[in-house]
Amino acid sequence: MLKLDAIGLFVKDMETMVSFYRDVMGMKTDWAGEGNAELYSGEFRLIMFSRKDFEEMTSKSYTYPTGLNGTVELAFDVADFAEVDTEYARIVNAGATPVFPPTDEPWGQRTSYVADPDGNLIEISSFVKA
């Protein structure tokens, strides 16, 4: 079986996206302006490459979603229901686009959604009511 190693995003603006995931979402990186970036949240690895550079490397043109990208989500788990609300508010106040406010779901999860600067969906959720 193949081992999933990372999730990759092809981004419009590396500086903006790395800053968002590092400074707002709290991911760790040692990115210093190179053409690609690696960010970490625990054992999870998020990689980024600029769209322009990727197209030059592969000698192909690609289409990219505009607006809110409903193709994929990045899911961040927090400690409990109260922290879903706290983190949602903090992340929106830091510039993320609000998509879906914290809501208790019938399957026992409190979930919310925001979008990053490129419109990728980010879920902030917990299954711990506390």
Side-chain angles (χ1 to χ4, degrees), residues 35-47:
N36 66 309
E38 293 185 354
L39 296 99
Y40 296 87
S41 175
E43 294 183 22
F44 175 78
R45 186 166 69 115
L46 177 65
I47 56 177

Side-chain angles (χ1 to χ4, degrees), residues 2 10 38 53 58 70-71 75 77-79 81 89 93 102 105 115 124:
L2 297 173
F10 297 106
E38 293 185 354
D53 291 343
T58 61
T71 304
D77 186 47
V78 296
F81 281 23
N93 287 336
E105 299 296 350
I124 304 151

